[in-house]
Amino acid sequence: AMGRTGTDVAKEAADIVLSDDNFASIVSAVKEGRIVYDNIKKVTIFLVSCGFGELLTIIACMLAGLHLPYLPAQILWLNLVTNGFQDVALAFEPGEKDILKRKPRPPGERILSSLMIQRTLLMGSFMGFGTFIIYYLQISSGVSVESARSVALTTMVFFQFHQALNCRSETLSVFKMNPLSNPFLFVSIIGAFFAHLAVLYVPALQYIFRTVPLSWDQWLLIVISSCTILL
């Protein structure tokens, strides 16, 4: 029904009311709805994979008889700050070029398809066991538990940075996407990075989160290992 010229009876009976009496608005609405639906899926995949990775790291360390890789305050930091910035920014991801060329999705389709669940488990396992291996190597090298935890925490933070980039599209590689097409995500990663630097190097925050500064070789190990999830 037409929102301006239509009768009240027509509006009451209609499934769709065009507030501007323009049929082209239906196309815009479908496009916007598909973008919103896609972004809900991207945020869900990102949050579930990161949470699953953190859980696997903790379980692996318990089975190996090691100290827990994260303290409660550090888990809160992962989920509310370094992780929280990206999940909000992913909601502003612009639509992909072929979004209006896709066939309509089944009304009963789940948010996470079987393929998305497989990817979520794969990425979560990669982050979890990758962080566990680095934590184990740090403990084995003789560094303090606080230093090893700081490395494990930072490794998971960087894994999440790269996983946010992975979640920008279901079909396109991150290497084929414009890194600045979603400026909110770019800014969120930069902001979270500097916030995490403060946790590692500001004495008051070091006391709260029980962290210690990292050496250059530890930084190199973290950056190189976390980049592998992009591949």
Side-chain angles (χ1 to χ4, degrees):
M2 297 299 175
R4 293 180 180 177
T5 58
T7 64
D8 290 338
V9 174
K11 294 177 188 178
E12 289 290 336
D15 293 320
I16 298 175
V17 178
L18 299 177
S19 59
D20 58 357
D21 289 8
N22 185 354
F23 282 101
S25 298
I26 298 177
V27 179
S28 300
V30 170
K31 180 179 180 181
E32 190 65 27
R34 289 186 174 189
I35 292 174
V36 171
Y37 184 77
D38 277 1
N39 288 349
I40 290 174
K41 292 173 65 177
K42 293 170 186 177
V43 171
T44 302
I45 293 169
F46 173 70
L47 289 176
V48 174
S49 62
C50 291
F52 184 60
E54 295 168 20
L55 180 63
L56 281 182
T57 307
I58 295 173
I59 293 175
C61 288
M62 293 175 63
L63 294 176
L66 302 175
H67 293 282
L68 290 178
Y70 316 117
L71 296 176
Q74 294 173 348
I75 294 177
L76 287 175
W77 177 255
L78 281 172
N79 292 331
L80 297 181
V81 182
T82 58
N83 191 329
F85 286 176
Q86 282 85 61
D87 60 19
V88 173
L90 279 173
F92 293 94
E93 192 66 32
E96 299 177 29
K97 294 180 179 180
D98 66 338
I99 198 163
L100 284 178
K101 297 180 180 179
R102 304 176 190 170
K103 295 180 180 179
R105 63 177 176 84
E109 181 183 84
R110 296 179 298 177
I111 291 290
L112 291 181
S113 64
S114 59
L115 178 60
M116 291 297 101
I117 293 175
Q118 292 172 25
R119 289 184 179 180
T120 300
L121 296 177
L122 174 64
M123 292 298 187
S125 301
F126 194 92
M127 290 188 285
F129 288 115
T131 303
F132 165 73
I133 291 172
I134 291 177
Y135 180 69
Y136 178 80
L137 292 176
Q138 289 293 304
I139 292 291
S140 300
S141 67
V143 302
S144 66
V145 175
E146 289 77 14
S147 179
R149 278 178 177 155
S150 299
V151 171
L153 178 66
T154 306
T155 301
M156 183 56 72
V157 167
F158 272 70
F159 267 134
Q160 291 178 354
F161 288 166
H162 294 107
Q163 177 64 350
L165 299 177
N166 276 337
C167 291
R168 292 187 62 198
S169 173
E170 295 181 40
T171 56
L172 288 177
S173 165
V174 64
F175 301 108
K176 294 183 179 180
M177 301 182 68
N178 181 357
L180 299 180
S181 61
N182 183 355
F184 296 101
L185 182 59
F186 182 77
V187 171
S188 72
I189 291 177
I190 298 299
F193 171 69
F194 281 105
H196 190 68
L197 283 182
V199 164
L200 293 175
Y201 293 99
V202 175
L205 295 177
Q206 287 178 345
Y207 175 78
I208 294 174
F209 292 99
R210 298 296 189 268
T211 57
V212 296
L214 304 181
S215 62
W216 285 109
D217 59 326
Q218 288 174 326
W219 273 113
L220 186 63
L221 175 65
I222 290 168
V223 172
I224 293 177
S225 60
S226 62
C227 285
T228 56
I229 198 172
L230 294 176
L231 302 179

